[in-house]
Amino acid sequence: MVAPMRVCVFFYGSAMNPKVLAEVVVGEVQVASLAGFALTITPRANLVEEEGACTYGLVGSATHDQLDRLYRPLYRPRAVLVRSREGQFQPALTYLCAEMEGELAEAAYVQRILEPAREYGFPAWYLRHIESFAPLG
């Protein structure tokens, strides 16, 4: 039996949570950035194209079946070029939602994104950006 093909994937948002990654990624993940896209959390994480923006996430490999279970039907794949901390570029898939409702995120959801972002040493300005989506009060 042939093993299912694995593809390189850029994970962001709650997909970076270790519990989620453990279900789909085999092996290690690496910190990477994606230029030209901004993170939004309204009410779920999504990326929107924005000139000059940069999003941080993790690159790992997964099968198409695993990715379909994680992202469908809301998110669709998009080919992107991510940059490692060492400055090397790598093609990857990421998953975007064409239409995300403009609702506020729940505090617990924002924390599920913020915790791995801190753990992986994302820049302070990016951590503040994630925190900006938490409801006040």
Side-chain angles (χ1 to χ4, degrees):
M1 179 178 206
V2 177
M5 182 177 79
R6 302 186 72 77
V7 295
C8 182
V9 184
F10 178 75
F11 296 98
Y12 64 92
S14 63
M16 296 186 306
N17 188 284
K19 291 178 184 177
V20 175
L21 287 175
E23 294 179 19
V24 295
V25 174
V26 172
E28 294 184 29
V29 293
Q30 297 180 344
V31 173
S33 60
L34 176 59
F37 288 86
L39 175 72
T40 64
I41 308 175
T42 56
R44 297 286 177 245
N46 194 27
L47 299 181
V48 294
E49 287 189 78
E50 182 179 307
E51 188 174 333
C54 181
T55 294
Y56 281 81
L58 303 174
V59 173
S61 68
T63 68
H64 287 289
D65 286 344
Q66 290 169 321
L67 295 168
D68 281 348
R69 284 192 299 276
L70 181 61
Y71 289 113
R72 297 275 180 173
L74 192 59
Y75 293 83
R76 298 285 186 248
R78 168 97 178 249
V80 294
L81 192 60
V82 297
R83 185 175 185 202
S84 71
R85 279 190 167 155
E86 294 77 31
Q88 296 176 317
F89 288 93
Q90 178 176 6
L93 289 180
T94 197
Y95 282 74
L96 309 175
C97 179
E99 294 185 30
M100 182 74 63
E101 296 295 324
E103 299 173 22
L104 292 177
E106 294 178 7
Y109 182 77
V110 173
Q111 282 302 310
R112 283 196 306 269
I113 299 169
L114 195 54
E115 288 172 11
R118 284 184 180 134
E119 189 175 309
Y120 282 101
F122 289 4
W125 68 265
Y126 194 73
L127 298 176
R128 287 190 301 273
H129 178 66
I130 295 170
E131 290 171 333
S132 73
F133 292 100
L136 299 176

